[in-house]
Amino acid sequence: MPDATLSLNDSLVDRALRRVTGLWRDMADRVGGRDDAEDVAAQMQACLAARGGEVSARARAAKLAAAYRGFSEAERVSFLRVLAGFDADPKAVERAIAEWTQAADGPAKAAAKVRLRRALESPRVRLLTQFTAIPDGMKLLVDLRADLLRAVETDPLLEALEADLKTLLTSWFDLGFLELRRIDWNSPAALLEKLIRYEAVHRIESWDDLKNRLDSDRRCYAFFHPRMPEEPLIFVEIALMKGLAGSVQALLDPKAEVMDPNQADTAIFYSINNCQRGLDGIAFGNFLIKRVVEVLGQEFRGLKQFATLSPVPGFCRWLNAREEAGDATLLTAEELTAIRNAAGVPPETSPGAALQLLLSRKEWPPALSKVLEPVLVRLCARFVAVESGRNPKRAADPVAHFHLSNGARVERINWRGDTSAKGMRESAGLMVNYLYDPEFIEDNHEAYAGEGKRAMASTVRKLVKA
């Protein structure tokens, strides 16, 4: 493997995609030829007519797929608008509703209801389903929904199509169809390259960086779908170690000594990445963590703790919003005095403005850092364990919501957990350990999902009560 930052140009993934696209075009050309003058709507109508048997149907679907892959962004939106137009026939729906309304008894009502359901079925759903029969058709549909999610923000006409496709993908990507696989250094190079591409939490800088993350005291697991065997849907990176991790820089230090994983007592989940934008809103993460906890527990009997080292991406944004709202509860009088004395902040500066002024600095001298640590740790605990968004039962921080809804508890707030530029900018360098205790996961999940109660360690509870 080369020891260099991976180039995204002419990658293995790109070449593989070109080969698949070529296969689609070859299939379409072999059966009936290509007619570039034929418009998209006519091609879609031909697919729905299903003339000529299954081979011809696949060829027509392949032809549409190849065309879509070659379209520009604007052309794809036009394609999606045409596809969205293949909706249920309103007159047929009205007739079916009238039949159901007029049906006199139970059996007649039941039969009329079946006819109503059929009338409500959109032809576009049958067309979408046809794509699954062609090579890499499932990946095409996932990518098509990714395009839809971008386009629907400015084009409400696509909302029904997006809802239809999400319903189909939710069914096709049910947990029962997914396969959990471990990814290691001996996995195919194309798959390893995708890990580098899809890692969004802690960027993988080079092949050496990736190799370090796949060493003997590390684990990486991903969910795969049988119709997308080379495409991870979501993956999690784990470090096997002693005790909780408090710094991601220390965790990912390539010079750190590799420990015997059989001596580890803690599994740290430090990065979870959704790989397919087109599967947004289809939950995998909670199942992935629980499955991996089970797998690791069977492999390493010495593991006593399963926890995360998680970012707090909205913390500084929340502080800024509270300052703009004039929140006088951010700092106590004693904290504000200590900060003013350590940083030389003018006495008339508001508590929120004082914090913003300090957070804008790239470096804090030791005296100021000592003053800021207990203040920011307390405020971070408040943000993840108390603050809510529009829904009072849901944590304001999306990462906190994810783990709390999965049954974890807020275990510890880590000062200088992520000192990268991104970590300092988004969370003032703070990170959170969420603990997954198999004995209490379900109870914690039910309490949070039902009443919005957030499980937290006693040390965190003291912070939010301070």
Side-chain angles (χ1 to χ4, degrees), residues 8 26 39 86 135 146 168 208 211 316 331 349 364 372 398 414 427:
L8 298 183
D26 290 345
D39 65 19
F86 284 84
L168 289 174
D208 278 351
K211 187 175 183 180
C316 287
L331 299 176
T349 307
W364 298 322
L372 283 176
N414 297 290
S427 63

Side-chain angles (χ1 to χ4, degrees), residues 337-345 361 365 367-368 371:
T337 299
I339 288 174
R340 284 171 173 165
N341 291 339
V345 177
R361 296 184 179 183
L368 181 56
V371 171

Side-chain angles (χ1 to χ4, degrees), residues 215-219 239-242 257-266 299-300 302-303:
D215 216 326
S216 60
D217 59 348
R218 304 297 166 96
R219 291 292 185 272
L240 303 173
M241 55 195 302
K242 285 186 176 293
E257 183 179 352
V258 177
M259 73 170 294
D260 179 356
N262 292 300
Q263 300 301 313
D265 61 14
T266 304
E299 183 179 2
F300 301 105
L303 291 178

Side-chain angles (χ1 to χ4, degrees), residues 16 20 27 39 59 140 147 190 198 215 245 313 340 359 372 391 404 411 427 442 455 460:
V20 171
M27 183 187 294
D39 65 19
L140 171 79
D147 293 338
Y198 293 140
D215 216 326
R340 284 171 173 165
L359 292 175
L372 283 176
N391 184 341
L404 291 168
E411 187 67 11
S427 63
E442 292 304 322
V460 176

